[in-house]
Amino acid sequence: MNLTSPFFLAIVVITALALLGLPIGLAMMVGSIGYLWLAGMDMGTVAEQFLNGMYSNYIILAVPLFIFAAEIMNSGSMTERLLRFCNVLVGHFRGGLAQINVVQSLIFAGMSGSAVADAAGSGRMMQNMMTRDNRYTSSYAAALTAVTSVVGPILPPSIPMVVYALVSDASIGYLFLAGVVPGLLMTAMQMVQVFRDARRHNFPVEERVPLADVPRITIAAFPTLLMPVILLGCIYTGVTTPTEAAALAAAYAVLVSTVIYRSLTWREGYSALRLSAKTSASIGMMIGGAMVFNYVVTVENIPETLRRVMTGWELSQVQFLILVNVILLILGCVLEGTAILLIIVPVFIPTAQALGIDLVHFGVVVIVNIMLGLVTPPYGLLLFIVSNISGSPLKDIIRDCLPFLGWMVLCLALITFFPGLVLWLPRLAGYGG
């Protein structure tokens, strides 16, 4: 590579600004402006690409709507009622509270689509419950909260899958379905590890919920449990698009919290709206910056060049997927997941298509990789979040995360080598891939 070329200098600028702490979206914009200036191109293209990327993609609207739905659930009492219901299901087993953490993340996944929302919302409550009376160490509770939260974006609905659909043109509906089996598989593996830990460390057994209280707790949680059923039912019956379903999820969360549970105050509603706006703006800036940088990448013909190089290597589908897994696992240790989806993944898609790899299968492999990155040191965003919530040292949390990471890598290997695990459900729904 020419070290004085506009593209190389743009990469240097983006990397330097990101390391100095500038948000990656802004760093990409600055680097892209520098590229266009050095290449003698119209710098107004930056604004054009930003606006086209943000306002011509109807699907992007799903992101702030799912975020808002999650914030409303955390602000009202929907999450608390969900935790009580999970206690009925698995709370009476040894290590019951830990199993509740796993199960509540599985159910919460069908509502928020965000690992961060799960960890910061219901995960915060689980942290307090597990460490009360020193029943579990703070680091174990934090580690479990982090690893269970990653299930959210694998199961539908999923904000990362919405972003992947944006860059790959894959069907969101089939992507959502494709994430069900891997998400359930990962949840089962986490429950197995909790069971092993419970026996090894003699975790406490929670008091069994009286049988007479089960109907009351179930009825109280029913409106919350109904949310993913309505959401996914509307998508797969064709009543709504995924974006419209996101709006429905937000409206339903507000309706349940205000009318049925009457637990959401004006102050809490405003706070949820404000937090959702801040998070959405951050993600939107990153998407906009990636759109501008992707234009630069396209002008440089990087995807086609990479496709020709990899074709020259004569890689098989499995070899290519292994290579992608290795690259994404390494990048996941140092880069934020959305940045990987928007910058790195589009470069691989032409090669995946040329090798005949199904883009829905490829998308799920990519998403699971990125979820691994959320709990992989040294960057691991969820590790920092739960460390902040719990006050536990990061090294202790990482130590307790490692056994779960092993299971997650096994899950990644299974869905990589056995595409049928991913595509079975979409094919039942009529997918031709």
Side-chain angles (χ1 to χ4, degrees), residues 57-122:
N57 289 289
Y58 177 61
I59 191 175
I60 294 180
L61 279 174
V63 175
L65 291 169
F66 279 133
I67 291 172
F68 180 63
E71 290 294 344
I72 289 295
M73 284 187 289
N74 287 329
S75 298
S77 63
M78 294 178 72
T79 303
E80 295 175 18
R81 294 168 194 261
L82 174 62
L83 291 177
R84 294 192 196 108
F85 177 75
C86 293
N87 184 39
V88 170
L89 297 179
V90 294
H92 55 282
F93 297 129
R94 181 163 297 282
L97 267 181
Q99 297 288 10
I100 290 171
N101 200 338
V102 179
V103 174
Q104 67 83 21
S105 287
L106 174 68
I107 300 175
F108 195 83
M111 305 177 195
S112 71
S114 168
V116 174
D118 189 354
S122 57

Side-chain angles (χ1 to χ4, degrees), residues 139 143 377 383 387 392-402:
S139 63
L383 298 178
S387 177
S392 297
L394 195 59
K395 62 180 180 63
D396 293 342
I397 296 174
I398 292 172
R399 179 200 62 214
D400 290 331
C401 272
L402 291 179

Side-chain angles (χ1 to χ4, degrees), residues 7-274:
F7 183 72
F8 180 79
L9 293 175
I11 295 294
V12 171
V13 169
I14 293 171
T15 304
L17 291 176
L19 291 175
L20 289 171
L22 191 70
I24 186 66
L26 291 176
M28 286 188 287
M29 280 188 229
V30 173
S32 300
I33 290 172
Y35 170 87
L36 295 173
W37 177 63
L38 292 171
M41 300 172 66
D42 181 11
M43 287 187 287
T45 305
V46 171
E48 179 186 347
Q49 292 298 316
F50 182 90
L51 292 174
N52 286 341
M54 293 302 295
Y55 296 111
S56 64
N57 289 289
Y58 177 61
I59 191 175
I60 294 180
L61 279 174
V63 175
L65 291 169
F66 279 133
I67 291 172
F68 180 63
E71 290 294 344
I72 289 295
M73 284 187 289
N74 287 329
S75 298
S77 63
M78 294 178 72
T79 303
E80 295 175 18
R81 294 168 194 261
L82 174 62
L83 291 177
R84 294 192 196 108
F85 177 75
C86 293
N87 184 39
V88 170
L89 297 179
V90 294
H92 55 282
F93 297 129
R94 181 163 297 282
L97 267 181
Q99 297 288 10
I100 290 171
N101 200 338
V102 179
V103 174
Q104 67 83 21
S105 287
L106 174 68
I107 300 175
F108 195 83
M111 305 177 195
S112 71
S114 168
V116 174
D118 189 354
S122 57
R124 187 187 296 271
M125 296 181 191
M126 285 306 310
Q127 177 75 29
N128 293 334
M129 291 171 63
M130 290 180 68
T131 55
R132 191 178 302 153
D133 299 326
N134 295 317
R135 284 181 287 185
Y136 297 82
T137 64
S138 180
S139 63
Y140 185 84
L144 186 62
T145 294
V147 297
T148 58
S149 296
V150 305
V151 176
I154 298 171
L155 287 166
S158 164
I159 292 174
M161 283 185 181
V162 172
V163 178
Y164 173 80
L166 177 68
V167 300
S168 68
D169 288 330
S171 165
I172 299 183
Y174 289 131
L175 276 169
F176 281 0
L177 277 179
V180 171
V181 172
L184 293 176
L185 180 63
M186 189 174 292
T187 298
M189 290 177 173
Q190 290 173 347
M191 295 186 77
V192 168
Q193 182 59 41
V194 168
F195 176 75
R196 294 177 62 186
D197 291 340
R199 297 191 64 179
R200 184 182 302 115
H201 301 295
N202 196 30
F203 287 162
V205 178
E206 304 304 315
E207 184 178 346
R208 184 183 291 270
V209 176
L211 193 61
D213 291 342
V214 172
R216 175 181 58 80
I217 294 173
T218 304
I219 291 172
F222 184 74
T224 301
L225 298 172
L226 199 59
M227 183 173 176
V229 176
I230 295 174
L231 185 63
L232 300 179
C234 287
I235 292 175
Y236 297 123
T237 57
V239 174
T240 66
T241 66
T243 303
E244 292 165 346
L248 179 63
Y252 184 79
V254 172
L255 177 67
V256 170
S257 296
T258 56
V259 177
I260 299 178
Y261 293 155
R262 298 183 180 180
S263 58
L264 186 70
T265 65
W266 284 105
R267 181 183 295 276
E268 290 171 337
Y270 172 74
S271 177
L273 187 63
R274 181 172 55 82

